[in-house]
Amino acid sequence: MSTVIAPGHAGLALAHRIVEHLPHRDGHAWTAAAYSAWWTTRPAARLTQTGRTGAVIVAVQAWRTELAFQLDGREPYRPDAVTDRLAPQPIAREILRLVLPRLDDATALAEAPAPADAAPVRLAHLGLIGAALRAHGAEPAERRGPLPHSDSLVWRSGSGMEYRATLVGANPAVDLALSGPVREVEAVLPLFLDEPAKLPRRVRGVKTALGRRLAAHLTQFTTVDLLDDGGLSVGTASGPFGYVAPPADPGAPVGDSSPVAAELHGVGIDHLISLAPLFAR
């Protein structure tokens, strides 16, 4: 028998489905409660997780969903992100991609120690990612990071991809380096980018076959620009952004197994945890 949801409870009902798609931390699930957001009279919900500072506010409008993060001393008076999606899984994806990294960053600014003293925080966060990967069969290893006051988690997937997730200082945003066959890189990068655009953009002046293939694929999702070294910049300031390296041999023919390397910045810890099943296989 179906359940009829009164309009005033529609936002909370949706929020209960959204939290099913947000990953646990230290065994703690997200929960949802009714809430009145400052910027709207529409139904809203407040999402919280035991052991985590702050909350996520979800307000459902007729044709869009508005998202914001809340901290002590930081009551949102306007949404921090807006999506035209109304289904729980796409909304959860935007929370993971756009909202939780900003919540974590604001928390770190208020609570985290100086970079030289932040190693326990970095290792704890990398431990959460590593535990999620191990649960799906990967074998990540901790390494000293490439920068001062940094630590990394490195692993390989069964599909031939190599990953390095790095945290620097007290910054909770992950730098994710990846390399592998172009077909796999083409599948991974869009997991962090915008949803496909209605009208794919064009990038002019790309001279290598690998660059043209990647540009044609990635412009479906986000802004792509050609750089002076022949590489590509991808992403926007509102979410993860990064760089695709030019091919080592610009004249080489391109197939699905052609090697390519890329890096992304501003990746959320929870976003990586949620993608562990894909990154481990």
Side-chain angles (χ1 to χ4, degrees):
M1 182 176 68
S2 61
T3 301
V4 177
I5 301 174
H9 298 293
L12 183 57
L14 176 61
H16 282 305
R17 296 196 296 272
I18 291 170
V19 299
E20 295 174 0
H21 299 282
L22 298 178
H24 296 193
R25 269 199 185 189
D26 293 325
H28 297 298
W30 286 82
T31 58
Y35 192 74
S36 296
W38 277 89
W39 69 83
T40 180
T41 58
R42 297 282 297 179
R46 184 173 185 266
L47 314 185
T48 56
Q49 187 176 38
T50 299
R52 186 181 201 130
T53 302
V56 174
I57 309 302
V58 178
V60 183
Q61 304 288 349
W63 303 108
R64 66 186 187 275
T65 305
E66 297 172 341
L67 308 166
F69 72 89
Q70 179 190 55
L71 284 169
D72 290 343
R74 203 269 187 183
E75 181 64 39
Y77 293 99
R78 61 177 59 89
D80 294 305
V82 178
T83 175
D84 61 2
R85 304 303 298 270
L86 299 171
Q89 188 166 4
I91 295 171
R93 179 181 187 268
E94 295 304 87
I95 292 174
L96 292 166
R97 201 173 69 88
L98 302 177
V99 181
L100 288 183
R102 298 174 69 176
L103 171 60
D104 285 346
D105 187 56
T107 301
L109 288 173
E111 299 180 354
D117 301 321
V121 176
R122 292 195 300 270
L123 294 175
H125 286 159
L126 291 176
L128 292 172
I129 299 168
L133 289 166
R134 291 185 188 94
H136 294 281
E139 298 180 358
E142 292 180 1
R143 296 283 188 269
R144 185 176 299 234
L147 299 172
H149 310 308
S150 68
D151 292 279
S152 296
L153 195 70
V154 298
W155 72 97
R156 293 178 59 92
S157 72
S159 62
M161 290 290 292
E162 296 183 0
Y163 297 94
R164 175 185 286 266
T166 301
L167 289 171
V168 181
N171 187 345
V174 178
D175 295 330
L176 181 66
L178 55 132
S179 61
V182 64
R183 66 175 180 272
E184 298 295 335
V185 174
E186 286 176 330
V188 169
L189 290 179
L191 298 173
F192 299 95
L193 303 175
D194 297 333
E195 292 187 328
K198 294 179 180 178
L199 295 175
R201 312 157 183 88
R202 290 188 177 183
V203 185
R204 300 185 184 278
V206 182
K207 297 181 179 179
T208 66
L210 180 63
R212 287 192 294 271
R213 170 171 170 162
L214 286 165
H217 178 68
L218 296 174
T219 50
Q220 299 175 79
F221 305 95
T222 191
T223 300
V224 178
D225 291 311
L226 178 65
L227 301 176
D228 291 342
D229 66 356
L232 303 172
S233 69
V234 297
T236 62
S238 62
F241 63 95
Y243 167 78
V244 180
D249 181 0
V254 176
D256 285 348
S257 60
S258 297
V260 64
E263 58 187 45
L264 289 168
H265 308 283
V267 175
I269 295 164
D270 297 271
H271 200 172
L272 275 180
I273 292 172
S274 73
L275 295 171
L278 296 177
F279 283 3
R281 70 184 185 191

